[in-house]
Amino acid sequence: MKFTKYFQTVALTAALATGATVAFAQDKEPVRFGLCFDLSKSYTFISPQVAQAAQDLAMYTNDNGGIEGHPVEIIVRDHGNEPQRGVECYEQLKREGVFLFNMLSTPVTNAVLPRAMKDGNVLMQSFVGRGDAVDGEVFEWVFPVGPTYWQQAANDVAFIKKQMGDDLASTKIGFIYLDYPFGQEPIEILKTLAEKEGFELELYPVPLPGSDQSGAWSKIRRDKPDYVISWLLAGGHVVASKEMRRNRFPIDRYLSVNWLNEVDISNIGAAEAKGILRGTNVAGGQDVPIVKTMLDTYYANGKGNGPESLVRDVYYNTGMAIYSTGFEAARIAIAENGWPITPESMKAGYESISEFDGDGIMAPVTVTGEDHGGGGKTRVEQWDGETWVPLTDWSADYLDVVWEVIKESSEKFTVE
């Protein structure tokens, strides 16, 4: 299902022709999305881009008739990456009638999740949060559409296996990570795959905020892993690049989590970063149709919801992926169950998404009542000194192993 399906209707064409597009959406109640984001503390390197993308997409949708005639309202609040403030944001917006939430933070999402489950509100959890939340039979109100950290880590191992001649038995893989929930999330699946494939797994925890990595890289120099998978953020990658040079570790054996963007490359140095790898959940660059549309329609005319520099960033595309999927779920909810949209109809809308790729912004996802992740596909890209070059197609690997771990973990979950 392409994103442009929203607008390819006879009614919309007529409205555009008469200039009446906005009016017929504005006289109806809005579809409201609550964005409780960290805009002031730890995740300021990504949250503004995602929020800006959500607001741009809402503006474009509203300018083109809304979602099934209803405008979109994006409500943005700051939680500073503090779980209690995230809970307070959730409770306040809930009192205001909001039932669609996104926290964009693993610790805050984990704190809010039990409340959303109890209340029967929809929690959008794309690209963050606990890996077992894709189990829709247990986490029925949580939608981590796209790959979880567990699946991304499994896909990274599959990539390394291919580079090692399809045999990991004599391979050593290092895992360097921020020693808090975000960084710790993939450890369980990596240990499971190490046992299955016979590779040696070495763990290298790094204390927050990620600026002190000297001890970890000294150990990496001694251990000599074949590859290092990295679960660091922002400046952490810059520090890692310096430590790699100091410890003579090849940068083309460093495979980053998806949180490595154009700003990080600039801070490392475009030439110095040549060869670095990242797993990615979305297509980068400005050639993606919906991103080009935002640039041409709004930013070329000074009408975007933030600086144009943030549009030229993979994290903006991440926001487009998250909210194009959310808008598609809302479209299905209204089309199939009418207005008012409810948590139940929104849940059903998400679970009816089939082969949706946001017009090329991400790998196609199909969400079901059993699988709220949509397939878990990622790809590996490499920086060539000027741009990111895909090395693989979109794929999801070790699905049987990942789902075995998912089920073992989700069975232990209780809302208490």
Side-chain angles (χ1 to χ4, degrees):
M1 181 75 67
K2 298 289 188 182
F3 179 80
T4 48
K5 181 174 180 179
Y6 294 144
F7 314 121
Q8 293 174 339
T9 65
V10 174
L12 176 58
T13 303
L16 287 170
T18 61
T21 309
V22 180
F24 79 76
Q26 285 183 338
D27 62 358
K28 294 189 177 182
E29 294 180 49
V31 181
R32 307 174 74 198
F33 289 81
L35 282 62
C36 297
F37 284 3
D38 174 13
L39 298 168
S40 59
K41 191 176 178 182
S42 301
Y43 292 160
T44 55
F45 66 94
I46 174 177
S47 297
Q49 293 96 311
V50 174
Q52 185 172 326
Q55 292 167 317
D56 284 349
L57 188 60
M59 180 167 63
Y60 183 69
T61 302
N62 292 341
D63 285 351
N64 289 277
I67 299 178
E68 295 293 312
H70 290 266
V72 180
E73 182 180 353
I74 302 294
I75 305 169
V76 182
R77 304 282 169 83
D78 178 31
H79 59 52
N81 200 37
E82 298 175 19
Q84 185 53 42
R85 286 179 61 188
V87 169
E88 291 169 359
C89 180
Y90 168 81
E91 292 293 342
Q92 180 181 356
L93 292 182
K94 184 180 72 174
R95 289 192 295 271
E96 296 174 9
V98 176
F99 60 81
L100 298 169
F101 296 90
N102 186 3
M103 303 295 158
L104 202 64
S105 157
T106 292
V108 176
T109 297
N110 289 349
V112 170
L113 186 149
R115 291 173 182 256
M117 290 283 289
K118 284 183 179 179
D119 296 336
N121 285 328
V122 173
L123 181 60
M124 303 167 70
Q125 194 200 279
S126 292
F127 313 140
V128 300
R130 53 187 299 161
D132 57 358
V134 295
D135 186 350
E137 295 181 324
V138 174
F139 298 91
E140 56 182 329
W141 298 104
V142 185
F143 287 90
V145 179
T148 64
Y149 290 140
W150 286 5
Q151 189 62 62
Q152 184 180 159
N155 296 348
D156 290 347
V157 171
F159 170 79
I160 295 171
K161 181 178 180 179
K162 185 175 181 180
Q163 307 313 302
M164 302 302 292
D166 290 321
D167 184 6
L168 290 173
S170 59
T171 300
K172 183 183 292 186
I173 297 177
F175 180 61
I176 188 167
Y177 62 99
L178 288 174
D179 197 14
Y180 89 123
F182 154 74
Q184 297 160 356
E185 188 68 22
I187 292 175
E188 184 175 0
I189 196 67
L190 289 173
K191 287 182 175 179
T192 301
L193 289 172
E195 183 176 351
K196 174 182 175 62
E197 292 285 9
F199 65 85
E200 185 177 350
L201 176 67
E202 297 286 349
L203 302 180
Y204 305 105
V206 171
L208 288 172
S211 55
D212 181 7
Q213 299 182 31
S214 58
W217 284 100
S218 294
K219 192 170 188 304
I220 289 171
R221 184 183 66 241
R222 295 192 298 270
D223 293 343
K224 295 181 172 60
D226 296 284
Y227 277 85
V228 168
I229 296 174
S230 167
W231 244 248
L232 301 174
L233 298 170
H237 297 299
V238 180
V239 174
S241 70
K242 295 176 181 177
E243 290 292 343
M244 279 186 273
R245 288 195 296 271
R246 187 172 70 86
N247 290 280
R248 298 181 181 178
F249 185 85
I251 199 168
D252 62 358
R253 295 299 179 99
Y254 179 90
L255 176 51
S256 169
V257 67
N258 58 291
W259 305 125
L260 172 63
N261 72 340
E262 287 75 1
V263 173
D264 303 326
I265 292 296
S266 176
N267 289 336
I268 293 170
E272 289 80 2
K274 185 177 180 179
I276 199 168
L277 304 166
R278 74 175 177 194
T280 185
N281 307 325
V282 302
Q286 289 75 54
D287 291 332
V288 180
I290 189 60
V291 177
K292 285 177 63 67
T293 296
M294 295 300 113
L295 287 167
D296 295 343
T297 304
Y298 297 120
Y299 289 88
N301 300 300
K303 295 181 180 180
N305 283 284
E308 183 176 342
S309 60
L310 295 189
V311 182
R312 303 183 184 280
D313 188 299
V314 70
Y315 298 159
Y316 181 90
N317 295 21
T318 298
M320 280 290 167
I322 294 171
Y323 285 93
S324 64
T325 307
F327 289 12
E328 171 69 356
R331 183 194 67 78
I332 296 172
I334 299 171
E336 295 189 355
N337 294 288
W339 190 267
I341 192 171
T342 65
E344 292 78 11
S345 65
M346 189 67 182
K347 176 178 181 294
Y350 261 116
E351 293 174 349
S352 299
I353 290 175
S354 178
E355 289 297 303
F356 180 79
D357 69 353
D359 210 5
I361 197 73
M362 59 188 172
V365 295
T366 296
V367 184
T368 67
E370 294 75 29
D371 178 9
H372 280 186
K377 293 181 179 179
T378 65
R379 71 185 183 194
V380 173
E381 299 177 340
Q382 186 171 45
W383 180 255
D384 71 355
E386 297 181 357
T387 189
W388 289 101
V389 178
L391 299 184
T392 69
D393 294 328
W394 297 109
S395 65
D397 301 284
Y398 296 115
L399 284 170
D400 56 338
V401 177
V402 174
W403 271 95
E404 183 177 346
V405 175
I406 287 169
K407 287 295 185 180
E408 289 176 359
S409 179
S410 64
E411 286 175 359
K412 303 172 187 174
F413 173 77
T414 66
V415 292
E416 282 73 30

